[in-house]
Amino acid sequence: MSETLTHSAPQKAVLPKTWFGEMRALLWIGVPMAAAQLAQFFVFTIDILMIGRISPEDLAAAAIGTVIYFALWMIGSGPVMAVSPLVSQALGADQNDTQDARRSVRMTLWIVFLMTPFIIALLTLTEPLALMLGQDPEVSKKAGIYVLALGPGLAFAMATMALRNFLAALEKTKIPFILVMMVTAMNALLNYIFIFGHFGAPRLELLGAGIASSLSYIFGFFLFVLYIRLDARAHSFQIFKNFWTPDWPRFKEVIILGAPISVTTWFEGMLFNAAVLIMGVIGVMEQAAYQIALNVAALAFMLPWGMSMAGAVRIGLAKGAGNKPATRRAASTTLVASTLAIMLLAIPVGLFPEVTASLYLNLEKAENAEVIALVIGFLPIATAFMFFDALQVAANQLLRGLKDVNWPMVFTGISYWVIGFPIAYILALKTEVGANGVWYGLMAGLIAASILLGARLWRQLR
């Protein structure tokens, strides 16, 4: 049974009237969100940094496991991402509308936890699926173990992101950043304990990395629940009030908006993850090197992603308030800020690939020499496509803030699977270009996406 709105006359969001004012408002929430995205993703980076100290085979297993894990995570990401436009547009129309926001967040959490048993069941198929896709048998076995250890934390990771999106719509981003940093620090400590067997714990290696991440995600979720209860503004929304009462109209609305977002995210994410499998066909060393270079590119991506998530909030508020000039200012500032943000990491990575490689692998070990050489070759190409990556994610998030999700789904499908994947597959496996061909295919897909999504955004803003 849905809740009935009972508050007084609507109070529309007050928005800046200048480009500079909008940029300041964007950075106020965007910088902490970008930093939080970077810190949250660093959970997986810590895994890779520490797993790389075990062996290249374990690193390749983590790469395959991450492909399967994120393929399923992306299915649930749509409803989670839908929280931002639903809440921000509701608050843009009426800053006092706590009931509408509560309905959206509550039903999103329902969807996340209801789909979790099915996702975990699919995770048990990791090893046979990897074998079916031509991956090394020993690496496939290790990947299956790693993913099963990650599984229990999956729902809590997605639920935490939903709560973070709710808080971002309230312009609450600084304390959430601190909480994410706490979770990252906890993950690093648990990795140190369980991977290498310190403080009396058994040495679990790859299994330990998965357990550490799951425990960290569970811990993070309850930290955010506690913060929402303690913060006066967030608590006023009573997010967990009548939590067990179904609200089927809003449940349906979240799914209708979230499903295309899930497909869009899957189109993009699976292109990069399918590249892991292409690399695995070429060789284990190429796969391990790709995992490192991809992790670097993904770390850089977190900055424009966080900034563009803030942009989705800003444009959602403007859309809800019916303020067309403000929507244009939100879009332009987000595009500029997202592009500049990714350059903060792209430039040093492109200039110093050897230093970057040394963070992941011991340069003095002879068995790492081949992987290190491949990483150093991959990183300049990865750096080159980061500019287009920032543009496409900013355009995509802004369109989501406008609740425009169907055409972006089509455009990403064309960009990544009609253009990007065939180029990557053909160049890598059918020509002398080899492993570098994968990166050229990824770049082609991102260039196409930035053009198509940018054009769609321009048309919407007209």
Side-chain angles (χ1 to χ4, degrees):
M1 182 175 64
S2 62
E3 300 175 37
T4 303
L5 300 179
T6 58
H7 55 266
S8 56
Q11 181 182 342
K12 291 186 178 182
V14 179
L15 299 160
K17 296 182 179 180
T18 65
W19 191 92
F20 178 79
E22 179 58 38
M23 178 62 83
R24 184 170 57 184
L26 173 69
L27 295 178
W28 178 255
I29 63 171
V31 170
M33 287 186 76
Q37 284 301 119
L38 190 64
Q40 186 174 42
F41 185 79
F42 209 67
V43 170
F44 277 98
T45 304
I46 290 170
D47 283 357
I48 292 169
L49 288 168
M50 294 191 177
I51 291 166
R53 304 297 170 179
I54 304 172
S55 72
E57 289 76 17
D58 284 87
L59 196 58
I64 294 173
T66 303
V67 169
I68 306 299
Y69 180 85
F70 274 108
L72 297 175
W73 181 88
M74 286 182 281
I75 295 174
S77 67
V80 169
M81 294 291 186
V83 169
S84 182
L86 286 169
V87 174
S88 61
Q89 287 201 24
L91 294 180
D94 185 357
Q95 291 286 282
N96 299 316
D97 191 354
T98 59
Q99 292 183 6
D100 194 277
R102 175 167 64 248
R103 295 172 63 202
S104 297
V105 177
R106 191 178 73 219
M107 287 300 98
T108 298
L109 293 176
W110 268 52
I111 292 168
V112 165
F113 285 104
L114 284 174
M115 70 170 55
T116 298
F118 302 100
I119 291 177
I120 291 179
L122 291 173
L123 289 176
T124 63
L125 303 176
T126 297
E127 182 181 355
L129 182 59
L131 291 171
M132 185 180 70
L133 294 171
Q135 305 303 299
D136 179 83
E138 185 62 29
V139 171
S140 299
K141 181 179 180 181
K142 289 184 176 182
I145 294 171
Y146 177 57
V147 165
L148 284 179
L150 285 172
L154 178 60
F156 295 94
M158 290 192 294
T160 300
M161 195 167 184
L163 296 180
R164 280 182 53 207
N165 287 340
F166 158 67
L167 291 167
L170 306 184
E171 298 190 355
K172 301 282 184 179
T173 56
K174 293 176 177 58
I175 298 299
F177 165 65
I178 294 172
L179 298 183
V180 170
M181 289 297 294
M182 291 172 62
V183 173
T184 304
M186 179 182 178
N187 177 254
L189 176 61
L190 292 178
N191 265 339
Y192 180 74
I193 293 172
F194 292 130
I195 291 177
F196 303 111
H198 292 292
F199 301 113
R203 181 183 174 93
L204 300 176
E205 298 188 343
L206 203 56
L207 173 63
I211 293 172
S213 294
S214 277
L215 291 175
S216 299
Y217 287 138
I218 294 169
F219 172 69
F221 172 74
F222 287 106
L223 270 183
F224 273 84
V225 171
L226 179 62
Y227 171 62
I228 287 172
R229 289 187 176 276
L230 294 177
D231 182 85
R233 172 67 170 155
H235 182 67
S236 68
F237 284 77
Q238 294 289 304
I239 291 300
F240 303 103
K241 178 183 178 182
N242 299 326
F243 186 80
W244 302 110
T245 303
D247 183 349
W248 301 121
R250 185 52 53 93
F251 188 95
K252 180 181 178 181
E253 185 177 354
V254 172
I255 288 185
I256 289 174
L257 184 61
I261 297 176
S262 290
V263 176
T264 300
T265 306
W266 195 91
F267 279 149
E268 179 182 1
M270 285 311 297
L271 172 65
F272 288 88
N273 289 333
V276 175
L277 303 177
I278 295 175
M279 289 292 190
V281 174
I282 298 172
V284 171
M285 296 300 129
E286 286 82 0
Q287 192 173 53
Y290 174 82
Q291 177 67 0
I292 292 173
L294 180 63
N295 184 258
V296 174
L299 270 175
F301 175 76
M302 291 301 114
L303 295 177
W305 189 22
M307 196 66 68
S308 62
M309 287 170 68
V313 170
R314 297 298 306 166
I315 204 168
L317 289 170
K319 176 73 172 179
N323 189 332
K324 291 184 179 180
T327 63
R328 298 189 184 99
R329 285 191 290 270
S332 60
T333 53
T334 301
L335 289 166
V336 170
S338 298
T339 304
L340 292 176
I342 205 167
M343 292 297 110
L344 293 176
L345 285 179
I347 292 174
V349 166
L351 293 176
F352 307 105
E354 297 90 349
V355 175
T356 304
S358 70
L359 297 175
Y360 290 83
L361 293 167
N362 188 337
L363 299 182
E364 297 178 359
K365 286 188 175 182
E367 61 266 29
N368 292 337
E370 183 180 354
V371 177
I372 291 169
L374 287 165
V375 171
I376 292 172
F378 290 163
L379 286 177
I381 308 174
T383 301
F385 73 47
M386 288 182 186
F387 171 78
F388 300 101
D389 208 4
L391 287 178
Q392 68 84 20
V393 73
N396 214 340
Q397 289 287 348
L398 289 166
L399 289 167
R400 288 174 190 173
L402 296 172
K403 294 186 180 179
D404 182 17
V405 294
N406 292 317
W407 275 110
M409 175 182 66
V410 174
F411 291 150
T412 53
I414 293 170
S415 299
Y416 300 132
W417 291 95
V418 177
I419 298 173
F421 180 76
I423 292 175
Y425 181 85
I426 293 169
L427 288 179
L429 299 181
K430 306 296 182 181
T431 74
E432 296 297 321
V433 177
N436 283 347
V438 172
W439 294 97
Y440 295 134
L442 297 178
M443 184 184 298
L446 290 170
I447 291 172
S450 63
I451 293 171
L452 292 174
L453 293 171
R456 176 66 180 177
L457 177 63
W458 178 78
R459 177 167 181 162
Q460 291 293 83
L461 293 175
R462 287 185 65 192

